[in-house]
Every structure is written in structure tokens, then in C-alpha cells.
């Protein structure tokens, strides 16, 4: 019950932040520009995707492994292609403009390493007896940090289109579904996912209005770092069809699970390629 109340308050806070941001754009308050509106849209899309995924996950009696693989594959492929197309070139280009493109690469490496480090050390929480739900806590930290990075990226580069942000949060649907399935198996309320659903917008909107120093090196490191973090997240969401993986757990009661895992590997590759191609196609269409 407490998780549901806190989650509802989080959704309400996101609504208030969105209203303030839209009002600031309309009346030109505090230098808020149209890039913040993009962040508002991205925040609500992320929220809707996770809530929708959690709703289906909390009510499903069994999980379709092919649907789960395609959900993860499409999202991770879209994230990898988006980070490579829209963030990496910006990072290298900004640093290259002052003759040191290596700084863009430094930011990229730091993002990947820090993302990996946080994920690996955070796994230790699962071995502790804490009062909070670990699944919800991990997803919440992930959502809040991703939202902050999205806000900074759009705040420093207002010309970025919605395609990048939407591709980055595309994993929220399958993530919400999988988290809801785990929570339900553990007998915990799915409503605790309302907070991480709102988390992206709660941090993205405020950080999007922060003043960003117009220093090519700093911005290059920021863009490289963002690309590294998002690439790590995308790699973590790649559908893993191996023994002991989440996909294998879905199939654990099936006698022909090994044969199905072999089939799913093909679907994993196809879905990831499809997700990346969708981003390229959308870029050709909308620019």
C-alpha cells in the first residue's frame, strides 16, 4: 500500500514538473526553451512504457519467451544505434573542434566502465536483507540516473530530435514487464514500479534547465559519458539466451527448453538488428 501511495505521488510530481516546464516555455521564464518540451515528452513516454509493461507483466499467467526476446532485442538494438549515431559523433566532433578528439573517447570509456561498475557493485545488494524491494530500488536508481543524463544531453544540445530520447527509453516497456513478473513471483506489489516509471522525467526535466558551460571539452566528455552509459545499458539488455539467463528461467519448466533456447538465439539476433534498423530508417524519414 505504501509503495502504491509513494508511486502515485511520484506520478503527481512528474505532472507538476511537466506543467511548470511547459509554463516556463510558454512564458519564457528562466530561459526554458523548447528542448525541455522534448524532455517532458521523453519522460512521459518512459513512464507510460514502464507502466504499460508492468501492467501486462503483473497480469500474465505465463511469459511468452519469444515476445520477451523481441522486446529486449528491439529496445537494445535501438539504443545501441541511437548512441552510436547521435552521441558518439557529437562527443568526438566537439573535442575534435579544439584538436583533442581523444576527450570524447575518454568520456565514452568512463561511461561504459562506470555503468559496468555500478551494475556489478549494485548486484551485491541482492545478497543483503534490506527492508526495501531490491528490484524496485535497482530500477529506480537506473531510471533517475538515466533521466539526469538525458536532461543534460538535451539541455546542452537543444537541436537534438526526439528520436534519440525515445530510443533510449524504449527498454522501459520490457523492463517493466520483466520486473513485474519477478515481483509477482516473489509475492510483492507491482505498484512499487510507479516510482521508477516516473523517475526518468523527475530528473530529466530539472537537469534540462541547468546552465551548461559552453566549453567544447566539457561538452565532449558529457556526450561521450552519456554514450558510454547508454551503450552499457543497451548491452545489458541484449537478450541472453543462455543457461541460467532470465530467458532460460522462463523456459525452466519445459522439457525442450534447450531446443527453444537455440531457436531464441536466432530471434535475439534478428530482433536486435531490427531495432537498430528502425532507428536508421526513422532518421532517414524524420531527419
Amino acid at each position: 500500500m505504501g509503495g502504491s501511495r509513494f508511486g502515485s505521488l511520484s506520478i503527481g510530481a512528474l505532472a507538476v514538473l511537466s506543467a511548470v516546464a511547459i509554463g516556463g516555455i510558454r512564458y519564457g521564464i528562466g530561459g526554458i526553451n523548447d528542448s525541455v518540451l522534448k524532455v517532458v515528452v521523453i519522460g512521459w513516454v518512459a513512464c507510460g512504457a514502464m507502466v504499460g509493461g508492468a501492467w501486462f507483466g503483473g497480469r500474465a499467467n505465463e511469459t511468452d519467451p519469444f515476445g520477451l526476446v523481441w522486446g529486449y532485442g528491439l529496445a537494445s538494438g535501438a539504443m545501441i544505434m541511437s548512441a552510436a549515431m547521435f552521441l558518439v559523433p557529437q562527443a568526438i566532433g566537439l573535442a575534435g573542434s579544439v584538436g583533442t578528439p581523444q576527450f570524447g573517447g575518454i568520456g565514452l570509456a568512463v561511461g561504459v566502465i562506470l555503468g559496468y561498475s555500478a551494475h556489478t557493485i549494485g548486484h551485491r545488494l541482492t545478497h543483503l536483507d534490506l527492508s526495501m524491494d531490491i528490484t524496485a530500488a535497482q530500477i529506480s536508481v537506473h531510471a533517475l540516473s538515466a533521466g539526469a543524463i538525458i536532461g543534460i544531453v538535451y539541455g546542452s544540445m537543444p537541436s537534438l530530435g526526439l528520436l534519440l530520447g525515445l530510443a533510449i527509453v524504449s527498454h522501459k516497456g520490457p523492463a517493466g514487464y520483466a520486473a513485474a513478473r519477478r515481483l509477482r513471483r516473489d509475492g510483492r506489489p507491482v505498484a512499487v514500479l510507479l516510482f521508477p516509471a516516473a523517475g526518468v522525467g523527475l530528473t530529466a526535466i530539472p537537469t534540462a534547465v541547468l546552465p551548461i558551460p559552453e566549453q567544447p571539452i566539457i561538452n565532449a566528455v558529457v556526450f561521450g559519458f552519456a554514450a558510454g552509459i547508454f551503450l552499457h545499458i543497451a548491452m545489458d539488455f541484449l537478450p541472453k539466451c543462455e543457461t541460467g539467463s532470465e530467458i532460460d528461467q522462463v523456459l525452466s519448466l519445459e522439457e525442450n527448453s534447450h531446443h527453444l533456447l537455440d531457436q531464441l538465439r536466432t530471434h535475439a539476433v534478428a530482433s536486435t538488428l531490427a531495432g537498430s534498423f528502425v532507428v536508421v530508417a526513422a532518421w532517414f524519414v524524420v531527419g
Side-chain angles (χ1 to χ4, degrees), residues 110-171:
V110 170
V112 172
I113 294 170
L114 186 60
Y116 162 76
S117 302
H119 177 82
T120 302
I121 295 174
H123 181 72
R124 298 182 62 182
L125 294 175
T126 61
H127 303 299
L128 301 178
D129 185 16
L130 301 176
S131 58
M132 71 181 74
D133 181 80
I134 299 302
T135 297
Q138 289 177 326
I139 295 177
S140 297
V141 171
H142 168 267
L144 293 170
S145 57
I149 295 171
I150 289 172
I152 292 173
V153 166
Y154 274 88
S156 59
M157 190 64 67
S159 62
L160 281 174
L162 278 172
L163 182 58
L164 168 66
L166 295 180
I168 294 300
V169 301
S170 62
H171 68 286

Side-chain angles (χ1 to χ4, degrees), residues 92-120:
I92 302 301
L94 285 168
S97 67
V98 290
T100 53
Q102 293 83 1
F103 277 100
I106 290 172
L108 175 62
V110 170
V112 172
I113 294 170
L114 186 60
Y116 162 76
S117 302
H119 177 82
T120 302

